[in-house]
Amino acid sequence: MVATETRGGRKPWEVDDGLWERIERLLPVIEWRFRYPGRRRLDGRRVLCGILFVLYTGIPCRYLPQELGFGSGMTCWRRLREWNEAGVWQRLHELLLAELRAAGRLDLSRAPVDSSHLRAMKDGAATGPFPVDRGETGSKHHVIVEAHGISLAVTLTGGNRNDVTQLIPLVRAVPPIRGKRGQPLRRPKHLYADRGYDHESYRDQVRRFEITPHIARRGTEHGSGLGVHRWVVEGAIALLHWFRRLRIRWEIRVHGHRPVWVSGQFGSCWADSSSPVAV
């Protein structure tokens, strides 16, 4: 296997010191038992690198090479589940968004939304027949980003769900963004979407959040000009799917796939890193 290095000379599954410092303080503290302590837990940073390696290469967890020093695949899988249940990824996402806002690198003047289909190799929750792919089972990532393409929220549905049904859940899923004095930011001023979101009732619902909708209308010629603002969400989806495990869903349970794409959001938020680290 030929390893692809990032711009900083690191491999995609390597985590730099700055990012690890932020993640480490969010991890749950496990008390050491003095009586019957059992085997010492593997270092969290090495486990995280193992998780990233599996997600980047797309290999099954059980085939994670032991010689890499990341522990066993099942250790990585259990630790990922443990961190997800502790809310680590969501808190990390909110922390990085706050840092970006404090640095003046977050722009909520507008927020494009879009979705992307991913193949589901097994049936399970949040799967369904994709109408334009011969009815193959699949899921959808629905993404909302700010003006620069930084992910604000992601939802997962079955492949047969209409895009417009996730418009309001996406708006509600945007976390409160702190980083400056005063009220945390929660809503963008303008929302941009393609024809798949064209529905008057949903436009009215968006306006109730004090957001101005800009949604292309069906039956009109292409060239609405909205693509000038919408292209950044396509870049965010491409970054999310840079990891093979996010392009093809192998997990049956939703909670098995959710930590993958939730933690994947911090790749586009990590502006100070020289590599686009995304889980």
Side-chain angles (χ1 to χ4, degrees), residues 211-232:
I211 301 173
T212 303
H214 303 271
I215 303 174
R217 295 186 179 276
R218 289 190 177 96
T220 59
E221 294 184 2
H222 288 273
S224 62
L226 299 181
V228 175
H229 303 296
R230 286 198 309 102
W231 68 271
V232 293

Side-chain angles (χ1 to χ4, degrees), residues 17-44:
D17 295 336
L19 181 57
W20 174 245
E21 289 177 3
R22 289 161 171 81
I23 298 175
E24 187 176 25
R25 63 174 181 256
L26 299 176
L27 300 180
V29 177
I30 306 299
E31 295 184 1
W32 179 256
R33 295 180 303 177
F34 291 97
R35 187 179 185 185
Y36 308 117
R39 184 181 300 176
R40 184 174 293 275
R41 285 167 63 92
L42 192 64
D43 177 65

Side-chain angles (χ1 to χ4, degrees), residues 5 9 23-24 72-73 91 96 98 118 144 173 183 226 228 253:
E5 291 190 351
I23 298 175
E24 187 176 25
S72 70
R91 286 186 290 145
L96 295 177
L118 60 148
I144 181 170
Q183 291 288 338
L226 299 181
V228 175
R253 300 176 180 87

Side-chain angles (χ1 to χ4, degrees), residues 113-115 126 140-144 153-158 160-174 191 196-197 202 205-206 261:
V113 300
D114 206 349
S115 69
K140 272 186 179 181
H141 284 143
H142 303 264
V143 185
I144 181 170
V154 179
T155 62
L156 180 73
T157 67
N160 57 337
R161 291 296 300 275
N162 196 300
D163 290 348
V164 73
T165 62
Q166 288 302 300
L167 187 57
I168 303 305
L170 275 176
V171 172
R172 288 176 174 164
V174 176
L191 186 141
Y197 298 86
Y202 285 94
Q205 293 182 55
V206 169
W261 56 256

Side-chain angles (χ1 to χ4, degrees), residues 228-241:
V228 175
H229 303 296
R230 286 198 309 102
W231 68 271
V232 293
V233 69
E234 298 176 0
I237 292 174
L239 177 61
L240 194 67
H241 289 178

Side-chain angles (χ1 to χ4, degrees), residues 26-260:
L26 299 176
L27 300 180
V29 177
I30 306 299
E31 295 184 1
W32 179 256
R33 295 180 303 177
F34 291 97
R35 187 179 185 185
Y36 308 117
R39 184 181 300 176
R40 184 174 293 275
R41 285 167 63 92
L42 192 64
D43 177 65
R45 186 170 183 175
R46 293 166 62 186
V47 173
L48 178 58
C49 290
I51 294 170
L52 290 167
F53 183 86
V54 169
L55 298 177
Y56 179 77
T57 60
I59 65 172
C61 288
R62 61 181 179 276
Y63 295 146
L64 178 65
Q66 292 287 314
E67 56 269 21
L68 293 176
F70 300 150
S72 70
M74 291 310 300
T75 296
C76 294
W77 187 89
R78 284 193 294 267
R79 200 74 65 89
L80 177 62
R81 182 183 59 183
E82 174 187 310
W83 292 344
N84 180 64
E85 292 175 351
V88 171
W89 307 124
Q90 186 62 27
R91 286 186 290 145
L92 175 63
H93 187 216
E94 295 177 13
L95 170 65
L96 295 177
L97 289 176
E99 289 188 10
L100 287 170
R101 185 191 176 195
R105 304 178 68 175
L106 205 64
D107 183 1
L108 260 69
S109 63
R110 58 182 182 270
V113 300
D114 206 349
S115 69
S116 179
H117 176 256
L118 60 148
R119 178 79 180 276
M121 304 306 295
K122 303 174 182 178
D123 293 329
T127 63
F130 196 58
V132 298
D133 193 18
R134 298 172 296 178
E136 294 286 350
T137 301
S139 297
K140 272 186 179 181
H141 284 143
H142 303 264
V143 185
I144 181 170
V145 302
E146 53 82 71
H148 300 128
I150 296 172
S151 301
L152 298 176
V154 179
T155 62
L156 180 73
T157 67
N160 57 337
R161 291 296 300 275
N162 196 300
D163 290 348
V164 73
T165 62
Q166 288 302 300
L167 187 57
I168 303 305
L170 275 176
V171 172
R172 288 176 174 164
V174 176
I177 304 172
R178 295 173 175 83
K180 291 186 178 181
R181 288 185 177 182
Q183 291 288 338
L185 294 179
R186 190 78 187 259
R187 303 287 181 248
K189 295 180 180 178
H190 300 268
L191 186 141
Y192 292 81
D194 60 22
R195 289 168 176 78
Y197 298 86
D198 180 23
H199 201 290
E200 287 303 324
S201 66
Y202 285 94
R203 283 189 176 89
D204 293 337
Q205 293 182 55
V206 169
R207 292 189 184 99
R208 291 172 192 165
F209 289 99
E210 298 182 354
I211 301 173
T212 303
H214 303 271
I215 303 174
R217 295 186 179 276
R218 289 190 177 96
T220 59
E221 294 184 2
H222 288 273
S224 62
L226 299 181
V228 175
H229 303 296
R230 286 198 309 102
W231 68 271
V232 293
V233 69
E234 298 176 0
I237 292 174
L239 177 61
L240 194 67
H241 289 178
W242 186 47
F243 282 72
R244 292 173 175 84
R245 199 74 178 225
L246 291 174
R247 294 201 304 266
I248 301 177
R249 179 182 169 187
W250 294 90
E251 294 80 10
I252 297 177
R253 300 176 180 87
V254 172
H255 74 264
H257 186 75
R258 179 173 287 120
V260 176

